[in-house]
Amino acid sequence: MNNKKIIYILFGIIIFILLWCFISIKINSEIIFPNIFTIIKKLGDIVLEKSFYKDLMYSIVRVFAAFILSFLSAFLFGVLSGIFLPLRYILMPIINFIRTIPTIPLILVAVIWFDNDTVPIFVSMLVIFPMIYDAITNGIINVDKNLIEMSLSYNVSLKNQIINLYIPYIKPYVLTALSQSMGITWKSILAAEILALPSFGIGSRLYESHLYLDTVSLFAYSLIAVIFNAVLEIIIRITHDR
């Protein structure tokens, strides 16, 4: 990133902070719109609490559990659907149904089916599954047909085709899907935690802050969620660039 981009980004951050401070002063109510510096101070207090790390750990575990389970299942079905056309059409109505389910009703139904700790993982899996599945399927479909024909003419096994031909070819599609779906995973985990209220999790603390009209804590936990999501996306983008 060159110096001009850094300057522009810093300029944008300064404008954002000044605008926030202006709105906060005009509204003049900590419950409705707290000052950004009060929020940052509260964030520091939260970080110093031992219980915070337990909440963060549980949310992180749920994020990675949902992400890994969804990726593995989407990879399996995506590769098979990309190779076998009939299977792609068989799965099409199921994938479209999963894609169109609204998140909130899905969470409410999941609360009936599962315990509070499992709900966020299940919901997030279904939310991001179609996105990763589509990316993998499209990647398989766009594999060079000449290479496929060559591998068939030399009687290359399906296993070797998948490992040495399909996987390297679909890697850019997969990394792009992972980058796009990470933010959605984190948001869906938090939304499910807020409604399912597991014993530990950032979403549960967000709900408690809302319940007690502790807007400063609400914004502080939201800022923590934004920071954590940004870190994950940066890691994925660095991996993508490599």
Side-chain angles (χ1 to χ4, degrees):
M1 186 179 291
N2 58 44
N3 293 333
K4 281 189 176 181
K5 287 183 178 179
I6 294 173
I7 292 171
Y8 290 144
I9 290 171
L10 291 174
F11 187 64
I13 293 172
I14 292 170
I15 291 175
F16 175 78
I17 292 173
L18 291 175
L19 182 61
W20 189 292
C21 292
F22 174 77
I23 296 172
S24 177
I25 291 170
K26 282 293 183 181
I27 294 176
N28 194 28
S29 173
E30 287 290 296
I31 294 178
I32 298 175
F33 203 89
N35 187 282
I36 192 167
F37 299 107
T38 307
I39 295 169
I40 293 172
K41 181 180 180 300
K42 184 64 179 180
L43 186 151
D45 294 338
I46 291 172
V47 170
L48 293 175
E49 297 174 1
K50 291 182 179 180
S51 60
F52 161 71
Y53 294 97
K54 196 168 188 178
D55 289 320
L56 182 62
M57 182 192 71
Y58 271 82
S59 291
I60 290 174
V61 168
R62 291 185 187 111
V63 167
F64 281 107
F67 203 69
I68 292 169
L69 290 172
S70 186
F71 173 77
L72 291 176
S73 55
F75 183 83
L76 174 62
F77 288 106
V79 169
L80 293 176
S81 296
I83 296 173
F84 303 109
L85 185 62
L87 180 61
R88 192 187 316 159
Y89 289 122
I90 290 170
L91 291 177
M92 189 177 293
I94 300 172
I95 301 298
N96 288 334
F97 176 75
I98 295 173
R99 184 186 289 111
T100 55
I101 300 174
T103 304
I104 300 301
L106 177 61
I107 296 171
L108 295 175
V109 171
V111 169
I112 300 172
W113 290 348
F114 305 104
D115 62 80
N116 293 354
D117 290 317
T118 307
V119 170
I121 297 172
F122 172 77
V123 170
S124 189
M125 277 182 59
L126 289 187
V127 169
I128 65 173
F129 174 84
M131 184 182 299
I132 302 174
Y133 169 86
D134 286 342
I136 293 171
T137 303
N138 290 332
I140 294 292
I141 292 171
N142 290 314
V143 172
D144 191 334
K145 301 297 185 295
N146 293 326
L147 293 176
I148 296 174
E149 290 177 3
M150 186 182 298
S151 64
L152 292 174
S153 64
Y154 284 97
N155 296 319
V156 178
S157 66
L158 180 60
K159 178 183 176 181
N160 285 328
Q161 286 182 47
I162 292 173
I163 294 174
N164 299 311
L165 174 60
Y166 289 106
I167 291 179
Y169 203 92
I170 67 174
K171 183 180 177 182
Y173 293 89
V174 173
L175 291 176
T176 300
L178 294 181
S179 178
Q180 293 173 346
S181 61
M182 177 52 74
I184 298 173
T185 305
W186 184 235
K187 290 174 185 176
S188 58
I189 288 288
L190 289 180
E193 286 181 346
I194 289 170
L195 289 180
L197 292 178
S199 300
F200 301 100
I202 298 297
S204 298
R205 303 293 81 79
L206 283 166
Y207 178 80
E208 287 179 0
S209 301
H210 162 77
L211 187 64
Y212 296 110
L213 295 178
D214 186 358
T215 312
V216 176
S217 294
L218 183 63
F219 275 100
Y221 277 112
S222 298
L223 183 57
I224 289 168
V226 170
I227 293 170
F228 175 72
N229 181 62
V231 170
L232 289 178
E233 289 197 358
I234 289 170
I235 292 172
I236 291 175
R237 286 180 183 178
I238 291 172
T239 305
H240 188 289
D241 293 338
R242 287 180 180 177

